Amino acid sequence: MSLPTRPGLEAVPAYRQGRSAPAGASKLSSNESPHPPLASVVAAVQDRLGTINRYPDMSAAALRDALAARYDVDAALVTVGAGSVELAAQLIHAVAGEGDEVMFAWRSFEAYPSLVRIAGAVPVAVPLDAEHAHDLDAMLAAITPRTRAIFVCNPNNPTGTVVSAAELERFVAAVPHDILVVIDEAYVHFDRTDSYGAGIELFRRHPHVAVLHTFSKAYGLAGLRVGYAIAPREVADNQRKVAVPFGVTDLAQAAARASLDAEDELAVRIEEVVAQRDRLKALLVDAGWPAVASQANFVWVPAGERTAELEALLHEGGVIARAFPGEGVRISSGSIDDIDRVAATLVRKEATV
């Protein structure tokens, strides 16, 4: 006799983490910051080590107050979680239940369909357009009476494409106000188009918009797991009800607050990542690979049936990337040395052809 299993979980794949890299290789599979933590952030964490026998502030009041001041919003509208993925789960559980629909583009963030199914809701995946971007008209056409939330990952993971501020405005205005539109801006700090910051402005103007941000990417706190959402009051209240108690550690809260105080220093690092991202895209195109222009901290190569070939080529050159079998390869923007290694790999391939 076997133990009971919840029906439907057979359709939920385990989340697949980016492959680790052997010593000496470049790990460009997880969109992490290539830079070590800032000294001020390390100091803030060290200052809290003596109190790890105590539970953290479950409400993360100091961090929420800092974020509220940063964006000039009521702190009651700010929620925190263990990265934007946990906040996405909170939002889904806050607005959708059994049989409800939650929509997103596809391909987009790999966790979306699983998070929706775990909540008992129905994932509705709308294919990207020919430019690997959100097809907003198709998403509007896919709305049904059961639609409860729509996720717009902007910039999109894994393609790096963006929806312009004007297109987002038109889309949000066309979505009925009883449907939550979630603008997932995990990669917004790397965006150099007019969509930068569009999510917060849409939140200010529309009653059915929530925005997700994370400290994992630009702020370099991936190992501490902390992010935040800004959402309508009733949604934020429900997020706190479904959140995992004490889900954000005291160390993560301290590091996030210190990072907000160091944004000028972090901006220099972000610009380096952006420069290496653009260089990476150019190298791939020059080598004959169909790389897509990106506004995130990675580059998408829709290699199709040549996906395994590109992954193997990079691996042989000491570069670990994220492959989506039969679709493409996502390569994170790393340090100058990391992208030098990609360049050397591509040059060796050309030399053998």
Side-chain angles (χ1 to χ4, degrees):
M1 180 181 294
S2 61
L3 292 172
T5 299
R6 175 182 154 185
L9 286 184
E10 67 278 359
V12 180
Y15 185 81
R16 185 168 59 95
Q17 184 176 8
R19 289 171 56 190
S20 58
S26 293
K27 183 175 184 285
L28 304 181
S29 57
S30 294
N31 299 338
E32 300 151 326
S33 171
H35 302 101
L38 294 172
S40 59
V41 174
V42 172
V45 172
Q46 289 174 332
D47 285 345
R48 304 301 300 171
L49 289 175
T51 61
I52 59 173
N53 58 308
R54 302 295 185 184
Y55 283 111
D57 173 9
M58 194 170 77
S59 71
L63 176 56
R64 289 171 54 229
D65 286 345
L67 291 165
R70 169 75 169 74
Y71 293 104
D72 191 23
V73 298
D74 188 331
L77 308 182
V78 182
T79 55
V80 298
S84 57
V85 64
E86 202 249 323
L87 289 154
Q90 289 179 14
L91 287 167
I92 293 167
H93 283 278
V95 302
E98 194 73 32
D100 291 333
E101 294 177 349
V102 177
M103 188 190 305
F104 45 85
W106 197 253
R107 179 172 285 278
S108 191
F109 181 37
E110 190 172 3
Y112 288 157
S114 295
L115 295 176
V116 174
R117 288 190 175 100
I118 290 168
V122 179
V124 177
V126 178
L128 298 171
D129 66 18
E131 303 301 319
H132 310 284
H134 284 69
D135 188 338
L136 297 182
D137 289 336
M139 294 177 79
L140 288 173
I143 292 173
T144 76
R146 294 196 300 166
T147 305
R148 296 294 177 264
I150 302 173
F151 279 79
V152 179
C153 188
N154 201 45
N156 187 46
N157 176 17
T159 63
T161 53
V162 294
V163 178
S164 73
E167 291 173 320
L168 265 179
E169 179 75 47
R170 178 182 65 83
F171 177 75
V172 168
V175 173
H177 286 187
D178 60 350
I179 298 173
L180 183 68
V181 180
V182 182
I183 312 298
D184 186 345
E185 294 186 330
Y187 300 95
V188 67
H189 297 89
F190 309 102
D191 185 359
R192 295 298 174 265
T193 73
D194 70 353
S195 69
Y196 182 91
I200 296 296
E201 293 308 310
L202 287 167
F203 167 80
R204 298 187 197 284
R205 293 196 299 271
H206 297 275
H208 60 310
V209 170
V211 184
L212 293 182
H213 285 178
T214 183
F215 285 95
S216 296
K217 315 301 181 186
Y219 291 93
L221 302 184
L224 285 176
R225 310 307 302 130
V226 56
Y228 59 96
I230 301 175
R233 186 177 299 270
E234 61 272 27
V235 174
D237 287 344
N238 283 334
Q239 281 183 259
R240 283 184 272 274
K241 293 177 183 178
V242 301
V244 175
F246 306 108
V248 180
T249 68
D250 186 57
L251 302 184
Q253 293 178 42
R257 295 198 305 272
S259 296
L260 291 173
D261 292 335
E263 287 190 324
D264 289 345
E265 190 175 358
L266 286 164
V268 176
R269 295 180 166 196
I270 292 168
E271 287 307 315
E272 180 183 325
V273 171
V274 168
Q276 294 308 308
R277 172 200 73 196
D278 293 344
R279 177 186 171 214
L280 173 61
K281 192 260 186 182
L283 288 168
L284 288 159
V285 170
D286 288 346
W289 294 98
V292 176
S294 173
Q295 292 298 324
N297 67 338
F298 53 81
V299 174
W300 172 246
V301 186
E305 63 184 16
R306 297 183 66 197
T307 293
E309 175 190 346
L310 178 56
E311 181 188 24
L313 168 66
L314 293 168
H315 189 271
E316 290 168 7
V319 177
I320 308 303
R322 181 68 172 266
F324 297 82
E327 296 181 60
V329 178
R330 189 194 69 196
I331 310 170
S332 301
S333 175
S335 66
I336 294 173
D337 289 344
D338 291 328
I339 307 309
D340 283 347
R341 182 172 279 123
V342 175
T345 299
L346 296 174
V347 168
R348 281 199 300 271
K349 172 63 176 178
E350 291 176 345
T352 60
V353 173

